[in-house]
Amino acid sequence: MGDKGFIRRFLAISIPAVIQQLLSNLLQICDTFMIASLGALAISGVSVANKFFFIFTLLIYGLTNGIGLFIAQYYGARNKKEYNRIFRFGLALCLITSAVFMIFLLLWPEVTISVFVQNPAIIDFGLAYTALICYSYIPFALAMMCGVAFRVMGDTKTPMVAGGISFFLNVFLNYLLIYGSWGFPKWGVSGAAVATLISRIIEMLILLLLLNRKQSDLKLTVRYSWLELSKMKGIIQKTLPLIGNELIWSLSLSVVFMNYCYVNEYYIPSLTIVDNISSLVYALFAGPATATGVIVGQALGGNQLEQAKRESKRMIKLGTAICMFGSLIVLALTPLVPTAFSLTGPLASMTIRLLIIKAVISWSQGYAETVYYILRAGGDTKGVLMVDGLFTCFGPLLISTVGARVLQLDLLWTFVLTEGIYLLKIGLSTYYYKKELWVKRLT
């Protein structure tokens, strides 16, 4: 593929993915902005409650993208029957997994809050939010499986449209139910949970309905035989390392957050807002991430191994450049953030310092994360685990634990050391990329 053809394909895949991820991250920012009117304790409560959802999200992310890896390669091989059967198997796994998480939250909600904080007021806000948000786990998981399937087949517009509708509906319902506008009840953090629940159900329904369009390659109305048990086992064996990687990664970052809370619970609003704003970098990176999976995955599935290697190098350059640009945006926004979120005094100054540190480091992840998606597209699950899950476990998690609980450093220095360790990820990812164990056809 020539340079112009590559760029056209890259933009066609990337732009809708960036828009969808940007809307998702802007929704988190809007939620935090609106909940900020209820006070710092409300922000802390919702933030802590969402840490359990963060673990669930990454688990589903690993599951759906593991399934998506097979869909992409069978799609590249033009085997319509197989990628439809694998997609349905993925939907079933998502339904079972999300139901287990929902039941756990219904039975033991306080466990997921009190593990992070001890302040009773923060715990009460978190429980109020959790009591309703748990019902959104199933529609979220099914929508994610649908979105991944569309994207790995090159259709990034459909999940973008569904995500856009969900975004605007969520923001509108937040306005009605958090503040009690237009005669609606003023439910505070519970209103935010209801708004999210409704918007996720709508997004799921839109995607499921669009599966059955005439031009869609994925159809639930067409009869296909169920996957053979041996094929299920093979897919699960290949997907489990990806799920394990995401689980290790999410648990590690949750412990990092727990360590920050251990240093000082007062700064939870600052940490939450820093995560929200810095997510703008990752929204921009959603384009190269999605394009890497589609372009490299389909080239490998079509047994075009040399083309896959050439295009992987292009993706690394683009991913790094886009993350650099995103970091500059975060730096430019930093002075405006405290005022926008009604932060004053120590919370405002800490937020600015943490944002600057985050922006200075996060650009480097464009390189490392692109390599991660290349390894994943080729099924190099060992490389994926080493450069992502295990690195996070023995890097940021270990450093933050030592800094917070052994050396008892303040939050700023603990944050500097924890974020700085990510620079080492560049060398580790380069090693596994150059081994080229990912250059293979899975189908």
Side-chain angles (χ1 to χ4, degrees):
M1 186 187 298
D3 288 341
K4 290 184 178 178
F6 172 81
I7 292 298
R8 281 197 296 269
R9 189 180 183 201
F10 171 78
L11 292 175
I13 297 170
S14 295
I15 291 175
V18 170
I19 292 173
Q20 184 186 7
Q21 189 62 49
L22 187 60
L23 289 174
S24 176
N25 292 348
L26 284 175
L27 179 58
Q28 294 177 4
I29 294 172
C30 288
D31 278 351
T32 304
F33 177 79
M34 292 180 173
I35 292 170
S37 65
L38 305 176
L41 291 175
I43 294 179
S44 298
V46 172
S47 176
V48 171
N50 274 328
K51 290 303 170 184
F52 187 76
F53 178 71
F54 172 72
I55 295 171
F56 168 74
T57 299
L58 271 296
L59 182 67
I60 294 297
Y61 182 83
L63 170 60
T64 55
N65 281 276
I67 298 293
L69 185 154
F70 285 90
I71 295 174
Q73 293 217 8
Y74 275 108
Y75 183 75
R78 301 295 184 263
N79 191 333
K80 186 173 184 177
K81 177 183 176 182
E82 283 308 293
Y83 63 70
N84 266 279
R85 296 204 303 162
I86 291 168
F87 169 67
R88 296 178 187 196
F89 179 54
L91 284 177
L93 290 177
C94 284
L95 179 62
I96 294 169
T97 304
S98 54
V100 170
F101 270 75
M102 183 186 75
I103 292 170
F104 179 86
L105 272 181
L106 288 171
L107 294 177
W108 301 287
E110 194 165 348
V111 173
T112 63
I113 309 294
S114 57
V115 71
F116 291 100
V117 294
Q118 304 302 317
N119 188 322
I122 295 176
I123 292 174
D124 287 343
F125 276 114
L127 290 175
Y129 186 80
T130 299
L132 295 165
I133 202 66
C134 63
Y135 295 105
S136 74
Y137 280 40
I138 290 177
F140 171 84
L142 296 180
M144 181 171 276
M145 185 67 255
C146 292
V148 166
F150 279 121
R151 280 190 289 271
V152 299
M153 295 168 62
D155 180 6
T156 53
K157 292 181 180 179
T158 297
M160 179 194 72
V161 171
I165 294 171
S166 175
F167 167 78
F168 288 110
L169 178 62
N170 200 329
V171 172
F172 179 64
L173 291 175
N174 272 347
Y175 173 71
L176 297 181
L177 299 175
I178 292 176
Y179 302 136
S181 304
W182 296 4
F184 280 80
K186 186 177 180 180
W187 284 345
V189 296
S190 297
V194 171
T196 300
L197 170 60
I198 294 173
S199 65
R200 284 177 181 163
I201 291 173
I202 295 299
E203 182 177 11
M204 175 195 69
L205 292 176
I206 291 171
L207 289 170
L208 288 174
L209 288 172
L210 291 177
L211 283 173
N212 297 297
R213 289 175 298 178
K214 185 177 180 180
Q215 66 271 31
S216 176
D217 290 306
L218 293 168
K219 283 188 172 67
L220 292 177
T221 54
V222 177
R223 294 187 62 135
Y224 288 105
S225 60
W226 196 244
L227 278 177
E228 297 81 10
L229 187 60
S230 60
K231 190 159 287 186
M232 288 185 196
K233 289 181 179 178
I235 292 173
I236 290 174
Q237 285 174 354
K238 205 68 179 178
T239 302
L240 273 177
L242 294 175
I243 296 174
N245 171 72
E246 299 300 335
L247 189 59
I248 292 170
W249 188 77
S250 60
L251 287 172
S252 297
L253 290 185
S254 296
V255 174
V256 169
F257 179 78
M258 192 186 306
N259 288 331
Y260 291 154
C261 294
Y262 175 82
V263 173
N264 198 332
E265 291 182 7
Y266 174 76
Y267 289 115
I268 292 177
S270 293
L271 292 165
T272 302
I273 292 166
V274 167
D275 282 345
N276 287 170
I277 300 301
S278 59
S279 68
L280 294 173
V281 177
Y282 303 112
L284 291 176
F285 182 70
T290 303
T292 298
V294 174
I295 293 173
V296 177
Q298 289 185 10
L300 292 171
N303 207 30
Q304 298 169 311
L305 304 186
E306 289 303 316
Q307 179 180 323
K309 288 195 281 187
R310 286 194 305 272
E311 293 182 346
S312 72
K313 293 176 182 177
R314 290 170 169 173
M315 296 309 307
I316 289 172
K317 292 176 183 177
L318 284 167
T320 305
I322 288 171
C323 273
M324 286 181 176
F325 177 69
S327 295
L328 291 174
I329 292 176
V330 172
L331 282 173
L333 291 174
T334 294
L336 308 175
V337 170
T339 302
F341 288 89
S342 306
L343 298 181
T344 58
L347 282 177
S349 59
M350 180 61 75
T351 301
I352 289 174
R353 292 173 184 174
L354 298 183
L355 272 174
I356 292 172
I357 295 166
K358 193 81 172 178
V360 168
I361 300 296
S362 62
W363 69 266
S364 63
Q365 294 309 296
Y367 177 92
E369 292 300 313
T370 305
V371 172
Y372 160 79
Y373 283 100
I374 292 168
L375 298 178
R376 199 179 70 183
D380 182 5
T381 52
K382 180 181 177 181
V384 165
L385 183 61
M386 291 299 295
V387 304
D388 199 48
L390 291 180
F391 173 83
T392 307
C393 183
F394 293 101
L397 185 154
L398 180 61
I399 294 297
S400 67
T401 302
V402 172
R405 300 177 187 268
V406 179
L407 301 178
Q408 297 188 338
L409 300 174
D410 62 19
L411 179 61
L412 188 62
W413 277 108
T414 303
F415 192 84
V416 167
L417 294 174
T418 303
E419 292 295 317
I421 201 71
Y422 280 105
L423 293 173
L424 297 180
K425 192 174 181 180
I426 295 174
L428 185 64
S429 58
T430 299
Y431 170 76
Y432 280 96
Y433 173 74
K434 290 187 174 180
K435 286 182 73 174
E436 294 190 349
L437 296 179
W438 57 274
V439 186
K440 60 181 180 290
R441 186 183 185 185
L442 297 179
T443 54

